[in-house]
Structure formats: C-alpha cells, structure tokens
Amino acid sequence: MNLKGIISGLAVLCGILMFSVCADAAEIVVESSSGSAGSTAEISVSIKPSGEEAETMNAYAVQLTYDNEVLTPVVQGTDLLGEDLYAVSSLTGGVFVAGLAEGYDNVLVVSWADADAIEFSEETELFTVQFKAADEVSVDSTAIELAVLQYAYSDSELAGDSEISVTAGAITFNVVTSGTLGDVDGDGVVDGIDASIVSRYVVGLQELDEAYKDVADVDGDSTVDGIDASIISRYVVGLQSF
C-alpha cells in the first residue's frame, strides 16, 4: 500500500478539495483495549468536534504504528480493488481503504473519503481494527501509535496534519506474559475442571487466585464472567478455540 497513493487518492476521490487552513479542527480519539497472549483484541478510533458546534468531514487518512513482534493486524476482508482490508469502517458510504504501508510491516494506513461530507456534533466512531497478539510475549503491554496524515473538514477545505489533535497518541494492548490461557488451576491442561472453577468463581462459590485471572479472561474483555466459563467449556469439547 503506497502512502503517497493513498493521500493522492483522497484528493482525487473528493475532487474539489483545496489546500486551505481552517481555524478549528476536530480531535481524533483512540480507545484503549486489552487482550491476552494468543488472543485478539479490537481497538476503536473515533472523531469528535473540537467545540460545541457541529463539524463536517469528507476525508481522513491516519496511520497506526505497532510492534509487529507482538501484534499482527487481522484481515477483515477485501477493498474495492481486491486488496486486503485490515479495518472495518463505521461510516456508511464513501470509499474506505485500510492496508499495510508499502515497505513496512508495522505500519497500517487507514483512509476514508466521500464527496458528500458527513456532519458530527458528538464523538463518532470512524473505524475498528483487530490485532492478534503473539502466542508468547515478553512484555506486559505494547503501544499502538496513531498519527494523522490528512484530514478534510469540509468539501472545500483540506487541513494539514498539524491542524488535527489526537487525544490519545498511543493505546496500550495488555498481554499475558505467563500461564496458559484457560488453565486456571495451573496444571498445564485446559479441561472441565478449569471451566468448573471459572463457573464457580463467577457465582461466588470459589475464589480465584489473582495470578490466574488473566488466563481465565479468555475473551480478553478484562472481565472474568460466564462467557469465559462457556468458552472454556466449548474449548474442552472441541467446539471453540481461543
């Protein structure tokens, strides 16, 4: 995926964009996420107006930089050109592209453009990305940095990257550094006993050692609940993986 090609493509798609500077700009908001070693976590990137007034947008291009020894973006489908699509757009209409930057395996470029600008008066989700963590990691967390490459906030005004602020310049992906996912009794095997322990913990009939709460959270939502117990049970009988 060529960065210059993406930026040029935005201008072509919008057609009428002009290089002018606006007084105010929107904010890009990156939500943090958590997961476990070997599991998948989803991050969300949103936009919100800089003040109380509604703003318009008809194009953006951002890049996410991550540690590719820890994280791998998950392919979500294909775009209009048949290229791998590494994100899911939350906006209707327009042209959406999300691919690896040419020559890089740790930079993901996400862009969207529409000749008809959208209006937003509150925080609005732009897209989501899923990252798969390595099965074995040596860190407690890893940052995902976001940078704005280009942003058009009306059908006749194109802002420079310095015009847009990022409320969270990086997000943290928490990963488990020890233990086997689902093995809450630490015997090296994920079986029905583990599912039973999690089930009893959820209803308050059994304590769960703090050291095993991360491996009990098999869906990576930072909460040990009945869903985790169900997933472990299904895993044991071969109906699900994690």
Side-chain angles (χ1 to χ4, degrees):
M1 182 73 62
N2 188 295
L3 288 178
K4 292 183 178 179
I6 289 177
I7 301 302
S8 298
L10 285 175
V12 171
L13 289 169
C14 296
I16 52 178
L17 295 180
M18 299 175 62
F19 286 89
S20 58
V21 178
C22 300
D24 299 315
E27 296 177 75
I28 301 293
V29 180
V30 185
E31 302 293 341
S32 296
S33 182
S34 62
S36 304
S39 69
T40 300
E42 183 175 88
I43 66 163
S44 171
V45 177
S46 303
I47 192 168
K48 67 178 181 180
S50 57
E52 296 181 357
E53 299 296 325
E55 296 185 19
T56 58
M57 175 189 72
N58 70 320
Y60 71 79
V62 300
Q63 73 176 28
L64 301 174
T65 304
Y66 53 91
D67 185 347
N68 62 344
E69 293 185 357
V70 179
L71 301 176
T72 302
V74 178
V75 175
Q76 303 288 293
T78 57
D79 60 24
L80 293 176
L81 299 178
E83 301 287 341
D84 286 339
L85 194 62
Y86 287 88
V88 175
S89 178
S90 303
L91 304 177
T92 58
V95 176
F96 182 71
V97 179
L100 297 175
E102 184 176 1
Y104 295 86
D105 52 10
N106 68 329
V107 178
L108 182 64
V109 179
V110 182
S111 61
W112 171 89
D114 196 332
D116 297 321
I118 66 166
E119 182 176 352
F120 56 97
S121 57
E122 58 185 17
E123 186 171 328
T124 302
E125 186 175 72
L126 296 178
F127 62 88
T128 58
V129 181
Q130 290 185 350
F131 284 95
K132 174 73 163 53
D135 292 333
E136 296 183 6
V137 296
S138 59
V139 295
D140 294 326
S141 64
T142 183
I144 301 176
E145 299 179 356
L146 183 142
V148 178
L149 300 176
Q150 197 171 85
Y151 175 77
Y153 34 156
S154 77
D155 59 2
S156 62
E157 295 173 332
L158 185 64
D161 57 359
S162 63
E163 300 294 312
I164 310 300
S165 61
V166 178
T167 59
I171 69 168
T172 299
F173 185 99
N174 301 313
V175 293
V176 176
T177 59
S178 62
T180 300
L181 195 63
D183 178 23
V184 297
D185 61 0
D187 66 354
V189 179
V190 180
D191 53 23
I193 296 176
D194 298 299
S196 176
I197 290 174
V198 175
S199 296
R200 291 173 60 83
Y201 167 76
V202 171
V203 297
L205 295 178
Q206 185 168 343
E207 292 296 321
L208 186 61
D209 192 299
E210 288 292 330
Y212 290 105
K213 286 186 178 178
D214 281 340
V215 296
D217 179 26
V218 293
D219 64 355
D221 67 353
S222 301
T223 302
V224 179
D225 52 24
I227 296 177
D228 297 298
S230 175
I231 292 175
I232 295 174
S233 296
R234 291 173 60 83
Y235 173 84
V236 171
V237 297
L239 294 177
Q240 189 163 346
S241 61
F242 48 72

